[in-house]
Amino acid sequence: ERILRSLSQQVERNRVILERNCEILADIDFSFAKAGLARDMLAIEPILNKDGYTALLKARHPLIDPAKVVPIDITLGRSYHTLLITGPNTGGKTVSMKTLGLHVLMVQSGCFIPAGSGSEVSVYREVFADIGDEQSIAQSLSTFSAHMMHLIDILAKVEREDLVLLDELGAGTDPEEGAALAMAILEQLMVIGTKVVATTHYSELKTFAYTREDIENACVEFDIKTLCPTYRLLTGIPGASNAFAISNRLGLANSLILRAQQLIKADHAQFENVINTLENEKMMYEQRNADILERQQRVVQLEAKVIAMKQELSQKKAQVIRKAQEESAVLVRRARRESEQIIKELKEQFNDQGIKKRQESIEAARKQIQEGIKRTNISVGVISQQAYMPVDLEALSIGDIVYVTSLNQKGSVAAVQGKEITVQLGSMKMNIKASKCRFVEWARKENVLPAKTKSFLGKVNQVKREIDIRGMLVDEAEEVIGKYIDDAVLAGLSQVIIIHGKGTGALRKGIQEYLKNNRNILSIAFADMNQGGTGATVAELK
């Protein structure tokens, strides 16, 4: 006793520290227990909010075997605050509702949830549930009475920030009266603004959900062919009870089922058929939406690729212009050095008596140098927009040369349409506003030639800068291109474009091999992106 008393006194002296240590150890043990549970369930950390919005993605019931559980998607609290789940018995309505309730309680207990990444859960003030049959002989309670007592208690306490789960709403009494009571209860909860998930068999409630705002139908998918539930939750359409099909599978006599089908109201049967049709159509639309989403992603990737190519072309264009300007500057400096040398020599050649003649020679040399500099600038594309006059649409005619300011290029007028001009830029035609063009020169008129010479040159001048051989065989294309190159050489063309398309690449390889061996070809290369890219070959003529 003395030893125990002594030990107890030592414990008493450290009572506060020991109690705090017990609390810390309990917290640590609880944290490790939650982490172990999350690991075993492959759970994730959800996104939390206080807006009443819950969106569970691929949520799994935590108490069902992971190898057998079917993940579901369930959303509540954004476009609708009440979700009405319908479908056959043993179809999974209650399991779906319990999955939502358990996930909410797990989150509010500090646990991760067995759901897909990106799931979002709201923090609710209270969670009310009326699930299962609690009839009592001792309290003289029927199934309906037990449910009604729970509902009365819930309606007295529920507020806007709560979550209410109601299983088999209105069951246990006359179907018409039960359905009417269920609709009245749902209306009251919708007025309060609370979040509600309810299950039912009543067709009247399915129609009720269709005709009211802030409430959405849902069903647990049921395979009519195999008469087995798939346990997938489908939001947006109500579920059919399929009582006849299930009864037939369980062994009920066909005669009784046929008689029941005769007794059921025609409109109810038609409604069930409509539900089945809607379910099939929704599955088809889901597949189409998946295809559309895949195509949209592909389009986004292509757009990104086009933008990257455009940026690359812009960079290359800037590099070419910069290089041309540098070469132009070199030529200008060289011309100035030569001019200074010429002036120096002139000064040495003329004495003071020939001052006037020397000055005239110097001015002539300087004028010649300035003209050379001007030609150099034009050759590298340094074009001043102010050097050209605005376009006069009334005086403009086909073949006139205009300067397109936005593209920094010259082109010939192919057509005039109102305030727009169709401009031929190489092998490409573009519709451009007249305000963005400057007039350069009138169309050149052909000189009058003798009949024979004019006929020959007219044929040669008809040779276009490009030829399209798509669809031809290699042998046939070689014969056509051979004659075309001869005509192009006679016409004085320095460059031609051969359009062969992409396809399998056989025509492109054959033609390029032929061009390499042609005596009139200096070099070949793929065309620019705006001229066809790898679908066309540019050939430089000797």
Side-chain angles (χ1 to χ4, degrees):
E1 289 180 358
R2 182 181 57 79
I3 292 171
L4 292 175
R5 189 180 301 109
S6 176
L7 291 174
S8 297
Q9 289 172 354
Q10 293 180 34
V11 171
E12 173 63 22
R13 285 195 295 271
N14 296 281
R15 177 176 61 83
V16 176
I17 296 175
L18 291 172
E19 287 180 348
R20 180 58 182 155
N21 285 343
C22 286
E23 293 175 357
I24 293 171
L25 287 172
D27 290 339
I28 293 173
D29 184 58
F30 182 46
S31 297
F32 273 94
K34 289 192 293 182
L37 178 65
R39 179 192 58 203
D40 295 341
M41 293 192 306
L42 301 176
I44 57 98
E45 180 182 2
I47 302 169
L48 300 182
N49 70 76
K50 294 183 179 180
D51 304 326
Y53 173 65
T54 295
L56 298 178
L57 309 175
K58 297 181 180 179
R60 309 183 301 276
H61 194 291
L63 302 180
I64 299 179
D65 185 356
K68 297 180 180 179
V69 66
V70 177
I72 63 169
D73 295 341
I74 185 167
T75 304
L76 181 69
R78 180 153 292 177
S79 58
Y80 53 88
H81 291 171
T82 301
L83 186 65
L84 187 66
I85 305 176
T86 54
N89 289 323
T90 70
K93 300 190 304 298
T94 305
V95 172
S96 299
M97 183 170 60
K98 286 184 175 180
T99 299
L100 173 64
L102 286 173
H103 279 62
V104 168
L105 294 178
M106 288 177 69
V107 168
Q108 299 191 185
S109 300
C111 296
F112 283 13
I113 56 174
S117 179
S119 296
E120 189 169 353
V121 179
S122 177
V123 177
Y124 298 99
R125 188 187 68 90
E126 294 283 354
V127 178
F128 296 97
D130 177 34
I131 302 175
D133 187 357
E134 296 188 10
Q135 57 182 330
S136 171
I137 298 176
Q139 298 181 17
S140 300
L141 293 177
S142 65
T143 299
F144 176 75
S145 301
H147 278 296
M148 195 52 59
M149 287 186 64
H150 284 165
L151 288 172
I152 292 170
D153 186 52
I154 290 172
L155 290 172
K157 299 177 181 178
V158 70
E159 294 183 11
R160 183 182 180 84
E161 296 80 15
D162 297 340
L163 173 65
V164 178
L165 307 176
L166 303 175
D167 188 30
E168 296 299 343
L169 183 60
T173 186
D174 177 76
E176 292 186 3
E177 293 181 355
L181 280 172
M183 286 187 280
I185 292 169
L186 288 177
E187 282 185 343
Q188 179 62 27
L189 292 172
M190 290 166 64
V191 170
I192 296 172
T194 189
K195 313 305 178 291
V196 181
V197 178
T199 67
T200 185
H201 279 291
Y202 294 144
S203 298
E204 292 84 354
L205 287 181
K206 303 173 189 178
T207 307
F208 173 80
Y210 265 127
T211 57
R212 295 292 192 282
E213 297 291 336
D214 202 32
I215 182 171
E216 185 64 85
N217 268 309
C219 71
V220 180
E221 190 178 40
F222 189 82
D223 193 335
I224 299 296
K225 295 180 180 178
T226 61
L227 296 180
C228 293
T230 65
Y231 301 107
R232 288 180 59 225
L233 185 66
L234 304 177
T235 304
I237 58 174
S241 296
N242 299 302
F244 295 152
I246 295 173
S247 300
N248 187 22
R249 187 182 180 195
L250 294 175
L252 186 65
N254 287 333
S255 58
L256 295 177
I257 294 175
L258 291 173
R259 179 55 181 162
Q261 291 175 340
Q262 294 173 356
L263 294 174
I264 194 171
K265 294 181 179 178
D267 56 348
H268 176 75
Q270 186 177 3
F271 183 76
E272 297 289 339
N273 292 333
V274 169
I275 290 174
N276 290 330
T277 303
L278 286 173
E279 186 173 345
N280 293 332
E281 288 182 354
K282 181 171 183 180
M283 294 176 66
M284 291 173 56
Y285 284 124
E286 285 179 351
Q287 181 63 40
R288 291 179 183 175
N289 287 337
D291 294 340
I292 291 172
L293 180 61
E294 184 179 351
R295 292 185 181 182
Q296 287 177 341
Q297 293 173 348
R298 205 175 303 159
V299 168
V300 170
Q301 293 174 354
L302 290 175
E303 286 180 348
K305 191 179 294 184
V306 168
I307 292 172
M309 291 176 64
K310 186 176 180 181
Q311 292 175 348
E312 183 180 356
L313 287 173
S314 298
Q315 292 175 357
K316 288 183 178 179
K317 182 180 178 182
Q319 291 174 359
V320 170
I321 293 174
R322 185 167 58 252
K323 184 178 179 181
Q325 290 174 343
E326 291 173 356
E327 292 176 354
S328 174
V330 171
L331 291 174
V332 170
R333 287 195 296 270
R334 185 185 303 168
R336 284 176 177 168
R337 284 197 301 270
E338 292 176 356
S339 68
E340 295 298 330
Q341 182 65 29
I342 293 170
I343 293 171
K344 182 179 179 181
E345 291 175 357
L346 288 172
K347 285 181 179 179
E348 292 174 354
Q349 290 177 5
F350 296 101
N351 52 26
D352 293 338
Q353 295 177 355
I355 293 175
K356 184 176 181 181
K357 187 175 181 181
R358 183 180 64 186
Q359 190 66 30
E360 291 175 354
S361 300
I362 291 172
E363 290 298 330
R366 283 178 175 167
K367 185 177 180 181
Q368 185 178 358
I369 290 167
Q370 292 297 329
E371 290 177 355
I373 292 172
K374 183 177 180 182
R375 286 196 301 272
T376 303
N377 286 342
I378 293 174
S379 67
V380 296
V382 181
I383 301 174
S384 173
Q385 295 183 21
Q386 286 75 16
Y388 303 128
M389 297 293 291
V391 171
D392 185 357
L393 290 173
E394 295 181 357
L396 198 65
S397 59
I398 307 300
D400 291 348
I401 306 301
V402 295
Y403 172 68
V404 183
T405 58
S406 59
L407 300 177
N408 195 25
Q409 289 186 10
K410 290 181 181 180
S412 61
V413 176
V416 179
Q417 302 172 349
K419 294 185 178 181
E420 286 192 350
I421 304 172
T422 302
V423 182
Q424 181 79 38
L425 298 168
S427 61
M428 180 175 61
K429 288 185 179 180
M430 295 184 66
N431 290 334
I432 302 171
K433 291 183 178 179
S435 59
K436 294 186 177 180
C437 298
R438 294 289 184 271
F439 179 78
V440 177
E441 61 181 355
W442 304 109
R444 296 179 181 177
K445 296 182 179 180
E446 298 181 356
N447 295 326
V448 179
L449 300 174
K452 185 175 180 181
T453 306
K454 186 174 181 181
S455 174
F456 172 75
L457 291 180
K459 181 179 179 182
V460 171
N461 289 334
Q462 289 178 359
V463 178
K464 296 182 179 178
R465 187 170 170 267
E466 62 182 33
I467 183 172
D468 191 344
I469 59 170
R470 288 178 292 184
M472 296 184 184
L473 298 176
V474 175
D475 294 339
E476 181 185 0
E478 288 179 355
E479 183 178 350
V480 173
I481 289 176
K483 184 177 182 305
Y484 169 71
I485 291 174
D486 291 340
D487 293 341
V489 171
L490 290 174
L493 298 180
S494 61
Q495 185 187 78
V496 294
I497 300 176
I498 300 167
I499 304 172
H500 44 63
K502 298 179 181 179
T504 60
L507 181 59
R508 180 190 69 229
K509 293 178 181 177
I511 293 305
Q512 290 186 348
E513 189 65 29
Y514 172 77
L515 293 173
K516 290 177 182 177
N517 299 323
N518 191 296
R519 66 180 184 277
N520 293 318
I521 301 301
L522 181 63
S523 64
I524 64 172
F526 284 120
D528 293 337
M529 290 302 298
N530 60 353
Q531 293 177 332
T534 57
T537 298
V538 177
E540 298 288 342
L541 303 181
K542 292 182 180 178

